[in-house]
């Protein structure tokens, strides 16, 4: 069932692709006014100055999807410090600055609100090669839990979602993926092979599926849920 967000204003970061784009589209279709923040538009979530300049636009937000992020892969012994810092900067610093801006706005208008932070199953389940990404997403999960406890007395709910594999452009950022596409003959076949190898359900989620789960956590149907982490990984973590 589609949630109604008529009359509400939502902030969505990383809104130009993947889960962010799907969430923005769904919220818009459900009646919300969406304020999008994306680096492709010159809005860098790691910039405190950007958030300060945007504060007036965010004054009436009721909802926020803290979604902007980048991926990285590589063994710890081979990890480049600059890549490590960049991953944590976007994924963790960016999440903190987004949460801070959203919660400040919700506190100021006094109506409270609902926030969903996009984490990852990599922040829960350890696998080789995802040290930077997993550390950043593990930090995001704890950040969301702390925000939930701080926000609860103020009527602000904060939850996280931890997807497993999702078919989004983030895979195209990873060094190993082009070789898999060449091996399996197409991007779709490479995604399908990884999903079947990794998950009991044998499939990965679409961005639209994750967006609908985010919408539920933002909705009044989840009014008694805060500090939760929704694991949406096709059984990968079992």
């Amino acid at each position: 069932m589609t949630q109604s967000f008529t009359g509400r204003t939502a902030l969505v970061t990383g809104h130009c692709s993947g889960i962010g784009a799907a969430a923005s589209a769904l919220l818009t279709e459900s009646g919300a006014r969406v304020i999008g923040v994306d680096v492709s538009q010159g809005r860098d979530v790691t910039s405190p100055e950007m958030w300060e300049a945007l504060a007036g636009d965010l004054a009436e937000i009721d909802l926020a999807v803290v979604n902007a992020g980048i991926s990285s892969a590589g063994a710890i012994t081979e990890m480049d410090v600059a890549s490590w810092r960049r991953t944590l900067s976007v994924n963790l610093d960016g999440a903190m600055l987004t949460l801070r801006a959203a919660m400040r706005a919700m506190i100021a208008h006094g109506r409270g609100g609902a926030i969903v932070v996009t984490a990852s199953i990599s922040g829960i389940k350890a696998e080789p090669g995802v040290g930077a990404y997993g550390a950043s997403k593990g930090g995001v999960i704890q950040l969301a839990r702390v925000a939930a406890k701080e926000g609860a007395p103020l009527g602000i709910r904060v939850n996280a979602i931890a997807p497993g594999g999702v078919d989004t452009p983030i895979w195209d950022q990873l060094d190993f993926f082009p070789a898999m596409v060449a091996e399996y003959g197409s991007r779709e076949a490479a995604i399908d092979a990884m999903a079947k190898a990794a998950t009991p359900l044998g499939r990965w989620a679409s961005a639209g599926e994750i967006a609908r789960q985010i919408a539920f956590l933002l909705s009044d149907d989840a009014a008694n849920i805060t500090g939760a982490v929704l694991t949406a990984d096709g059984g990968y973590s079992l």
Side-chain angles (χ1 to χ4, degrees):
M1 177 174 158
T2 302
Q3 308 293 337
S4 175
F5 297 103
T6 300
R8 301 189 189 182
T9 300
L11 165 68
V12 180
T13 64
H15 84 114
C16 286
S17 67
I19 293 170
S24 291
L26 180 58
L27 289 168
T28 299
E29 290 166 8
S30 302
R33 180 175 76 91
V34 173
I35 300 170
V37 170
D38 197 280
V39 70
S40 67
Q41 299 172 317
R43 290 177 167 177
D44 182 353
V45 294
T46 70
S47 168
E49 294 76 18
M50 187 280 294
W51 287 112
E52 289 172 11
L54 197 63
D57 294 339
L58 302 181
E60 295 302 318
I61 63 167
D62 308 285
L63 314 167
V65 182
V66 184
N67 173 75
I70 60 173
S71 189
S72 63
I76 292 170
T77 53
E78 304 298 323
M79 192 172 295
D80 176 77
V81 173
S83 176
W84 163 267
R85 289 176 177 166
R86 176 61 178 161
T87 302
L88 266 69
S89 176
V90 175
N91 293 356
L92 189 51
D93 295 353
M96 184 280 290
L97 290 167
T98 308
L99 271 170
R100 187 177 72 172
M103 293 178 75
R104 283 176 173 176
M106 292 171 182
I107 291 168
H109 64 51
R111 297 191 304 273
I115 301 172
V116 175
V117 179
T118 304
S120 168
I121 199 61
S122 292
I124 299 171
K125 180 178 170 63
E127 291 287 5
V130 294
Y133 185 72
S136 71
K137 292 300 187 178
V140 159
I141 288 169
Q142 187 65 355
L143 180 67
R145 287 166 54 85
V146 172
K149 204 150 194 179
E150 293 180 356
L154 304 166
I156 300 171
R157 296 188 300 106
V158 184
N159 293 291
I161 187 166
V166 183
D167 187 0
T168 72
I170 202 166
W171 291 102
D172 304 299
Q173 300 173 13
L174 300 177
D175 292 340
F176 72 83
F177 191 62
M180 287 200 67
V181 173
E183 178 183 354
Y184 288 97
S186 70
R187 186 182 186 283
E188 182 180 46
I191 292 285
D192 189 53
M194 287 192 290
K196 286 180 177 176
T199 64
L201 288 181
R203 61 181 291 273
W204 279 354
S206 68
E209 286 175 299
I210 302 300
R212 290 190 291 276
Q213 293 158 9
I214 289 171
F216 165 71
L217 290 172
L218 292 173
S219 75
D220 293 340
D221 288 340
N224 70 328
I225 303 175
T226 197
V229 182
L230 174 59
T231 301
D233 68 349
Y236 167 73
S237 57
L238 294 175

